[in-house]
């Protein structure tokens, strides 16, 4: 009976073990490079980080459709850590990133529309 865990408990245990592995590897690396200083991110980089998370939190997610996507293990770990660290939902991050990509490449929706228009269905 003591071995029954909720899904949340299992996720926490998994994240703790992966975090411990990362911390151990960081300690080993820091012991190897003990002569170098730990640097703080420059003010400009810190400003970009703050601006990014502010824009992400202000992003209005209008999720009316469901879609299952497949991601690799490394990406899902990053998304889980983002959820734990900043409280940002995985879906919000993915949709925000997709909107940013489409805004940077405005030709893409037009190109897809042209392909559909020219395809015999």
């Amino acid at each position: 009976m003591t071995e029954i865990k909720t899904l949340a408990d299992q996720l926490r245990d998994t994240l703790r073990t992966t975090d411990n592995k990362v911390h151990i590897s960081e300690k080993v690396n820091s012991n190897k490079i003990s002569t170098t200083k730990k640097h703080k991110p420059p003010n400009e980089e810190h400003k970009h980080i703050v601006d990014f998370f502010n824009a992400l939190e202000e992003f209005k997610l209008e999720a009316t459709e469901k879609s299952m996507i497949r991601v690799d293990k490394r990406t899902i770990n990053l998304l889980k850590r983002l959820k734990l660290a900043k409280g940002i939902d995985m879906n919000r991050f993915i949709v925000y990133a997709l909107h940013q990509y489409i805004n940077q490449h405005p030709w893409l929706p037009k190109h897809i529309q042209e392909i559909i228009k020219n395809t015999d269905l």
Side-chain angles (χ1 to χ4, degrees):
M1 192 72 153
T2 60
E3 301 216 7
I4 297 175
K5 293 184 177 180
T6 65
L7 180 60
D9 291 334
Q10 292 173 359
L11 287 173
R12 280 188 211 101
D13 290 342
T14 304
L15 288 173
R16 285 185 190 128
T17 57
T18 56
D19 284 342
N20 287 339
K21 290 177 185 176
V22 170
H23 289 302
I24 290 170
S25 65
E26 288 176 356
K27 286 180 183 178
V28 169
N29 289 339
S30 67
N31 288 339
K32 289 179 183 177
I33 310 171
S34 60
T35 58
T36 61
K37 286 185 176 181
K38 292 182 181 179
H39 64 19
K40 294 181 182 177
N43 288 336
E44 185 175 321
E45 183 178 332
H46 181 68
K47 183 182 181 311
H48 288 299
I49 293 169
V50 170
D51 290 344
F52 172 78
F53 283 114
N54 286 340
L56 189 56
E57 289 173 1
E58 292 171 2
F59 178 70
K60 190 173 185 179
L61 178 63
E62 296 176 9
T64 57
E65 301 290 325
K66 284 187 178 181
S67 175
M68 186 174 83
I69 62 168
R70 296 184 188 274
V71 294
D72 58 286
K73 189 175 185 177
R74 189 174 178 184
T75 303
I76 199 69
N77 282 335
L78 175 68
L79 291 171
K80 286 177 184 177
R81 289 180 183 181
L82 183 63
K83 173 70 173 171
L84 289 173
K86 293 286 190 174
I88 297 171
D89 184 46
M90 294 179 199
N91 291 320
R92 176 183 295 269
F93 183 82
I94 291 168
V95 172
Y96 175 79
L98 184 58
H99 278 260
Q100 290 297 313
Y101 187 81
I102 291 172
N103 286 339
Q104 291 174 358
H105 300 89
W107 56 268
L108 185 60
K110 295 173 189 170
H111 180 71
I112 293 170
Q113 187 63 32
E114 281 296 317
I115 291 172
I116 292 173
K117 192 186 310 182
N118 295 332
T119 303
D120 293 331
L121 296 177

